[in-house]
């Protein structure tokens, strides 16, 4: 009877599960940080409910309805500061994902407001 090593060769690791070279399971938890995303959403919702959409828009300039990047960063910084100090800092990709999600929602709200005003 043939041994498994004779058929597949010896590669120095067990073949219990399929191995994909690009897969890096140990870092997946760093990229998807759902607690940070929930905190960002909570702070964003509080700000949008209290101050309104106009708080996130630039007050001056040639373009109406332009999102001010510093206000988006304010939401992210607030969520980072409110985070438990014992937890590690979220991965940069998780922070970027939250930034994009806040911007997407603001763009959706701005587009809705433009449709309401007839622009």
């Amino acid at each position: 009877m043939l041994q498994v090593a004779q058929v597949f060769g010896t590669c120095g690791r067990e073949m219990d599960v399929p191995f994909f070279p690009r897969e890096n399971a140990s870092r997946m938890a760093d990229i998807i940080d759902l607690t940070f995303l929930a905190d960002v959403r909570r702070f964003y919702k509080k700000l949008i409910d209290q101050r309104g959409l106009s708080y996130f828009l630039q007050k001056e300039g040639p373009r109406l309805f332009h999102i001010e990047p510093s206000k988006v960063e304010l939401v992210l910084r607030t969520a980072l500061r409110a985070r438990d100090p014992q937890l590690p800092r979220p991965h940069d990709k998780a922070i970027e994902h939250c930034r994009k999600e806040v911007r997407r929602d603001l763009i959706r709200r701005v587009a809705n407001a433009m449709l309401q005003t007839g622009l």
Side-chain angles (χ1 to χ4, degrees):
M1 178 162 232
L2 291 175
Q3 296 278 336
V4 174
Q6 290 174 343
V7 175
F8 295 109
T10 57
C11 60
R13 65 176 181 265
E14 290 187 23
M15 298 294 283
D16 290 342
V17 294
F19 176 75
F20 300 105
R22 293 182 186 160
E23 183 180 7
N24 192 358
S26 65
R27 301 290 296 172
M28 186 58 73
D30 292 341
I31 297 170
I32 301 171
D33 192 350
L34 296 178
T35 57
F36 180 62
L37 181 61
D39 290 343
V40 168
R41 285 179 181 164
R42 189 176 70 244
F43 287 116
Y44 169 68
K45 186 173 180 339
K46 282 182 183 178
L47 267 177
I48 202 92
D49 289 344
Q50 288 178 355
R51 306 238 176 146
L53 180 62
S54 62
Y55 176 74
F56 289 94
L57 303 178
Q58 286 185 348
K59 308 295 186 248
E60 301 171 355
R63 294 174 16 182
L64 294 175
F65 299 112
H66 185 71
I67 297 171
E68 190 169 340
S70 64
K71 303 296 181 170
V72 175
E73 293 300 318
L74 174 76
V75 173
L76 293 172
R77 282 193 317 266
T78 305
L80 281 170
R81 275 197 320 262
R83 194 171 165 89
D84 185 14
Q86 295 176 348
L87 292 174
R89 188 179 194 289
H91 194 270
D92 291 338
K93 289 184 181 180
I95 295 172
E96 184 62 31
H97 174 76
C98 292
R99 183 179 294 117
K100 285 180 183 178
E101 186 162 316
V102 169
R103 285 190 53 80
R104 274 189 209 118
D105 189 64
L106 284 171
I107 290 168
R108 183 185 58 79
R109 288 176 186 257
V110 166
N112 191 18
M114 289 173 75
L115 288 173
Q116 294 294 326
T117 58
L119 292 177

